[in-house]
């Protein structure tokens, strides 16, 4: 969990227990570019979707932190999600305060349909 | 009458060394910058998408994670600075993704190639 993007993904699972990969890509892009979720350009979303799909999601699935449905491309917590969240909130939480707040903030999911 | 065994239809010369390695044609190239917000995974997938002339989000099968250990390449070639010094090593790694041969070098250049098939036109689907 050393990678900030993976931590962000796990933080979002504390807010909602199901996310589509597109929604997460948009949300994470909004965090990293400090832009409102509704303003994310297609290219930026793709630039975030790509490493999530090809690297971070498979890694987190391997670690049993999340489950990924390849047909619907939705992410749900895995067996170790609660453990990891507990550790993150205990140690990394103070470092990632703003990241955590953003990950758990209200997200206009309609905008990504 | 000359035999056409050693030339493809468009005149590209096949290797005469008798081994099974296909001749490769360069398809596309991209540069990975460790300071960029685009990580190595993104650059590689975007390069493959450019090679295949599709959107990056259509490059899905397989996830790159299953082809190659990108984290190891990033750590090996592009690791962060230690004591203010950049650790640089030289070399390259190569792997196959679908029909593309992807080579990533320590200078950041990612090169995609694909095998030439006898008679194949060099346009990209």
């Amino acid at each position: 969990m050393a990678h900030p993007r993976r931590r962000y993904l796990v933080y979002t699972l504390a807010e909602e227990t199901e996310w589509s990969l597109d929604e997460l890509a948009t949300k994470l892009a909004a965090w990293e570019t400090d832009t409102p979720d509704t303003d994310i350009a297609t290219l930026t979303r793709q630039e975030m979707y790509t490493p999530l799909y090809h690297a971070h999601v498979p890694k987190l699935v391997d670690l049993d932190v999340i489950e990924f449905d390849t047909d619907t491309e939705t992410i749900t917590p895995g067996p170790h999600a609660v453990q990891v969240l507990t550790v993150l909130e205990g140690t990394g939480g103070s470092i990632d305060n703003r990241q955590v707040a953003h990950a758990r903030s209200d997200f206009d999911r309609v905008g990504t349909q | 009458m000359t035999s056409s065994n050693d030339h493809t239809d468009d005149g590209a010369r096949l290797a005469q060394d008798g081994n099974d390695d296909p001749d490769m044609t360069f398809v596309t190239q991209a540069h990975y910058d460790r300071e960029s917000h685009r990580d190595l995974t993104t650059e590689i997938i975007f390069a493959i998408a450019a090679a295949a002339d599709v959107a990056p989000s259509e490059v899905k099968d397989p996830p790159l994670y299953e082809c190659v250990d990108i984290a190891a390449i990033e750590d090996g070639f592009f690791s962060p600075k230690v004591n203010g010094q950049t650790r640089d090593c030289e070399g390259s790694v190569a792997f196959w993704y679908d029909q593309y041969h992807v080579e990533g070098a320590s200078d950041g250049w990612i090169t995609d190639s694909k095998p030439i098939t006898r008679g194949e036109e060099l346009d990209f689907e």
Side-chain angles (χ1 to χ4, degrees):
Chain A
M1 293 307 299
H3 200 291
R5 286 177 177 172
R6 287 202 281 271
R7 288 207 299 276
Y8 187 96
L9 200 160
V10 176
Y11 290 139
T12 62
L13 289 174
E15 171 72 14
E16 290 276 352
T17 52
E18 185 177 292
W19 291 94
S20 78
L21 195 46
D22 270 343
E23 288 172 334
L24 278 180
T26 304
K27 208 165 154 61
L28 189 43
W31 159 252
E32 288 201 4
T33 58
D34 199 22
T35 315
D37 293 342
T38 47
D39 288 349
I40 299 302
T42 303
L43 183 59
T44 310
R45 187 182 294 120
Q46 280 192 121
E47 288 176 330
M48 196 54 67
Y49 173 94
T50 298
L52 286 176
Y53 179 86
H54 285 278
H56 302 305
V57 166
K59 177 79 180 176
L60 288 171
V61 168
D62 246 7
L63 296 173
D64 282 333
V65 177
I66 64 172
E67 289 177 6
F68 182 64
D69 183 321
T70 49
D71 292 327
T72 58
E73 295 203 353
T74 49
I75 287 160
T76 48
H80 294 161
V82 172
Q83 265 172 284
V84 173
L85 268 171
T86 309
V87 169
L88 285 176
E89 285 170 3
T91 58
S94 57
I95 301 166
D96 288 331
N97 268 342
R98 285 176 56 229
Q99 188 185 71
V100 173
H102 191 277
R104 295 180 182 179
S105 65
D106 286 339
F107 176 62
D108 179 8
R109 302 174 80 149
V110 174
T112 60
Q113 296 309 318
Chain B
M1 231 170 7
T2 55
S3 153
S4 60
N5 283 348
D6 57 354
H7 285 83
T8 62
D9 291 344
D10 66 352
R13 197 153 196 287
L14 295 176
Q16 297 297 304
D17 53 5
N19 65 26
D20 292 333
D21 291 344
D23 278 316
M24 306 293 284
T25 180
F26 167 84
V27 179
T28 192
Q29 204 170 39
H31 190 259
Y32 166 65
D33 176 2
R34 72 178 84 180
E35 306 298 326
S36 167
H37 66 280
R38 283 160 62 134
D39 61 11
L40 187 55
T41 300
T42 307
E43 288 295 352
I44 288 173
I45 295 298
F46 272 52
I48 291 169
D53 198 22
V54 297
S57 54
E58 293 178 46
V59 178
K60 285 196 196 276
D61 191 23
L64 193 60
Y65 187 79
E66 295 179 12
C67 293
V68 63
D69 187 344
I70 287 290
I73 298 172
E74 275 181 313
D75 284 347
F77 287 160
F78 307 110
S79 54
K81 293 185 177 181
V82 173
N83 296 330
Q85 303 285 326
T86 306
R87 287 187 293 198
D88 283 320
C89 70
E90 293 179 10
S92 66
V93 292
F95 57 94
W96 288 93
Y97 187 97
D98 192 25
Q99 61 182 310
Y100 299 103
H101 183 260
V102 180
E103 181 177 317
S106 50
D107 62 3
W109 283 102
I110 299 159
T111 305
D112 290 350
S113 315
K114 71 175 188 177
I116 302 173
T117 314
R118 181 190 285 268
E120 179 184 33
E121 295 161 64
L122 294 182
D123 57 19
F124 310 125
E125 296 175 308

